[in-house]
Amino acid sequence: MLELTCTSTELQGFAQRFGYDGKPHLWKEARRLELRCEIDAALFHLYGMVRQEVEYIMDTFPIIRQKDQSNYGEYRTKRIIMEIFDKMTTAREE
């Protein structure tokens, strides 16, 4: 979470309260997307949801879907979250 929030020197005090003394994280859009999707997938698991429920929920965000399809030709956010969700499901079953 700190990687998403601590992106400038103005937030170093905040980060230090959580034990992070490093430099602010660089704003890398691809990495931020990955982290947000991992958090979303983990929360779906924590709430005890199954794949069909996650798919349904992801389909309730038409603006994100439209932006993704316009920019990437697919609903990229949903695809990435579902891939991570599936990997977490497999890891939990092992």
Side-chain angles (χ1 to χ4, degrees):
M1 199 56 121
L2 284 173
E3 192 172 341
L4 289 171
T5 57
C6 184
T7 56
S8 77
T9 55
E10 295 170 353
L11 295 168
Q12 283 184 295
F14 171 77
Q16 288 172 346
R17 284 186 235 155
F18 293 94
Y20 179 75
D21 286 326
K23 294 180 181 180
H25 296 278
L26 296 176
W27 188 287
K28 297 178 181 176
E29 195 58 42
R31 175 70 176 147
R32 293 178 62 79
L33 173 68
E34 179 184 349
L35 290 170
R36 290 190 317 265
C37 290
E38 286 176 358
I39 291 168
D40 289 346
L43 288 171
F44 286 135
H45 276 287
L46 287 173
Y47 280 100
M49 296 185 176
V50 297
R51 190 175 209 289
Q52 292 79 9
E53 293 169 318
V54 176
E55 287 179 329
Y56 174 80
I57 290 169
M58 292 306 304
D59 287 337
T60 65
F61 296 98
I63 295 171
I64 295 172
R65 177 197 301 241
Q66 290 168 358
K67 286 183 179 182
D68 276 5
Q69 288 177 335
S70 174
N71 293 328
Y72 310 106
E74 65 167 328
Y75 190 1
R76 181 182 73 157
T77 304
K78 178 181 177 180
R79 177 183 54 77
I80 294 170
I81 289 172
M82 296 311 302
E83 288 172 358
I84 295 168
F85 182 85
D86 290 342
K87 288 177 184 176
M88 289 179 176
T89 300
T90 300
R92 288 179 68 191
E93 293 172 352
E94 294 177 352

